[in-house]
Amino acid sequence: GEIGSLGGYATQRPPYDTKNPYLAQLNCNYNLCALESDRAVYHCEVDITDSRIRYEAGDHIAIYPENNAGLVSDFGTRLNVDLDTVISLNCIDEFSSKKTPFPCPTTYRIALTHYVDITTPPRTNVIKDLAQYAADEKEKAFLLHISSNTTEGKNEFNDWVVKDQRHVLQILQELPSLSPPLDHILELLPRLQARYYSIASSSKSHP
């Protein structure tokens, strides 16, 4: 999925930035640490030959991640949705500068893979919005409780969501009566953000 606009990767033109990233080829990627090490430091080489991008050692490179394909498929299975359905989300806020939350039209699969963060634990406002879709009253009450401003609710939210790093799909899997529309989930989840890494090479040695 394109980050800024549909067709952006097919008609790439400089200048390149967070809204118009350069689609670079990853030439190599390997772990510098020993197999028995509990650390992971990766050496990556990215081909920017035709990009006209200039850099210096210490600059940052932004990598746009993709969500795990298995987790994405599990959303479709859990909510009984054909993830290859074409959709388009439109912003109804007349004061918003964006007409869509991400490039549309698209499919559920592309949106879940490229555009929204499905692994970060949701905030209390997301939990509260999801509660309305719980058919079981106990499950609904539980979600409203942990998303409340009470001390007990905040503590339980911290234990059940934050400490356990429980994401939306896991919440759906553990509360079987919870069945929100996937469209609403896409509206609630934050955008998937780029990951920034330090450049350790020099453009003088690797122009």
Side-chain angles (χ1 to χ4, degrees):
E2 292 89 354
I3 301 302
S5 60
L6 288 173
Y9 287 161
T11 56
Q12 288 199 299
R13 295 184 180 89
Y16 300 109
D17 53 27
T18 55
K19 299 297 183 183
N20 180 39
Y22 180 69
L23 189 62
Q25 176 69 40
L26 183 64
N27 287 341
C28 77
N29 177 19
Y30 57 87
N31 190 0
L32 296 174
C33 298
L35 292 176
E36 62 272 14
S37 174
D38 58 356
R39 297 185 61 203
V41 178
Y42 287 91
H43 171 91
C44 302
E45 295 181 10
V46 179
D47 187 355
I48 57 171
T49 302
D50 298 321
S51 69
R52 300 180 184 175
I53 294 175
R54 297 182 179 181
Y55 70 92
E56 295 180 1
D59 287 346
H60 290 84
I61 181 172
I63 304 295
Y64 284 88
E66 294 182 2
N67 286 314
N68 180 275
L71 288 179
V72 171
S73 295
D74 287 345
F75 266 97
T77 301
R78 171 61 180 81
L79 297 174
N80 194 27
V81 172
D82 179 3
L83 296 182
D84 296 314
T85 301
V86 177
I87 62 168
S88 186
L89 298 182
N90 299 310
C91 181
I92 60 175
D93 183 357
E94 61 181 5
F95 299 107
S96 175
S97 60
K98 294 183 178 180
K99 295 182 179 180
T100 59
F102 40 72
C104 290
T106 187
T107 65
Y108 288 122
R109 189 181 305 279
I110 290 176
L112 289 169
T113 301
H114 297 283
Y115 299 143
V116 294
D117 188 342
I118 63 175
T119 58
T120 297
R123 298 189 177 193
T124 53
N125 66 300
V126 175
I127 299 290
K128 188 173 183 178
D129 272 10
L130 292 177
Q132 63 184 303
Y133 300 110
D136 184 279
E137 289 300 323
K138 290 184 178 179
E139 293 182 0
K140 181 177 182 179
F142 170 71
L143 292 174
L144 291 175
H145 171 65
I146 65 173
S147 61
S148 68
N149 288 323
T150 65
T151 300
E152 295 82 1
K154 290 179 179 179
N155 290 337
E156 194 153 356
F157 173 82
N158 189 60
D159 290 338
W160 195 69
V161 177
V162 180
K163 287 184 178 179
D164 290 344
Q165 289 293 289
R166 195 173 258 103
H167 52 66
V168 167
L169 178 60
Q170 291 171 319
I171 292 173
L172 291 172
Q173 292 170 333
E174 295 187 36
L175 303 178
S177 82
L178 188 59
S179 187
L182 188 48
D183 303 67
H184 197 182
I185 291 178
L186 292 177
E187 292 178 26
L188 293 173
L189 294 179
R191 282 294 300 266
L192 191 60
Q193 300 297 320
R195 282 22 174 193
Y196 289 88
Y197 300 91
S198 296
I199 297 176
S201 61
S202 170
S203 58
K204 295 180 181 178
S205 297
H206 306 278

